[in-house]
Amino acid sequence: MNSMNLGSVIEKLAKQNEPVQQDDDYVKDGLLVCGQCHTPKECEVELLGVLRKVGCLCKCESEKHKAEQERLRQQQEAMRISRLRTEGIQDRSYRNWTFENDDGSNPKQMDKAMRYCLRWNEMYQDNIGLLLWGDVGTGKTYFAACIANYLIDRGVPVLMTNFIRLANALMTGFDEDRNAYITSLDNYRLLIIDDLGAERQSDYMLEQVYNIIDSRYKSRQPLIITTNLPLSEIKTPSEIKYSRIYSRILEMCVPIKFEGTDRRKETSVSKLEKVKKLFE
């Protein structure tokens, strides 16, 4: 491109970049100045040896532009977090299980959950997971969901699922497909698997459970598991076929015991009483 053509291109760009003049704008030292913030809307630059005026953002327009960019960034981040929650928490009801919505029935456990979240970077770096064990309905799944939602709100990819759902996903396809699926779970910085023990009747499911946990172990990423099994059963399995699974879990996860009444039964009784009063 010769200098004449280049000059015409520059002239065209300069015209396209001319500032929009408002009624209260004024000229000072030959440059257009914003009438609101009193900073230049034009500046001089030397192009091909010629001093030219080009438009620039005054202070208030610059702030407006920055605010718009921040609004778009927040909008994109909100959309990303929404996708993380939809993809990562497969049971819809768990998406509202948060620290803010906790009923306070398990304050000690929930305090531990919050501390785990607040020290997440350290937990992730050291590959520290949790084994939440105890009777049915004592809050293990709620505890895990609170952690999942807290981290997702901060942009951390988390998958919360259960062993049955994972095993069913592995039921079809060839070995290569199964291996690819298991490997894909390591794309999540935290994997939460609910209800260890539900797969105990199937040797196939036991094998898949081990493969998933072992892959997580090799990727050096944290794992949280909930189970109704007693810790004594996990430490000393009644059958040898469970040993390698439980041994790997204990190597990766810190056990936390959950006690108390079955909150599911309490909820059921409360609903029943409400219905009785309704029809009295």
Side-chain angles (χ1 to χ4, degrees), residues 142-160:
Y142 191 93
F143 179 110
C146 285
I147 292 176
N149 280 299
Y150 182 96
L151 293 178
I152 286 174
D153 280 341
R154 284 147 185 84
V156 178
V158 178
L159 176 62
M160 183 171 182

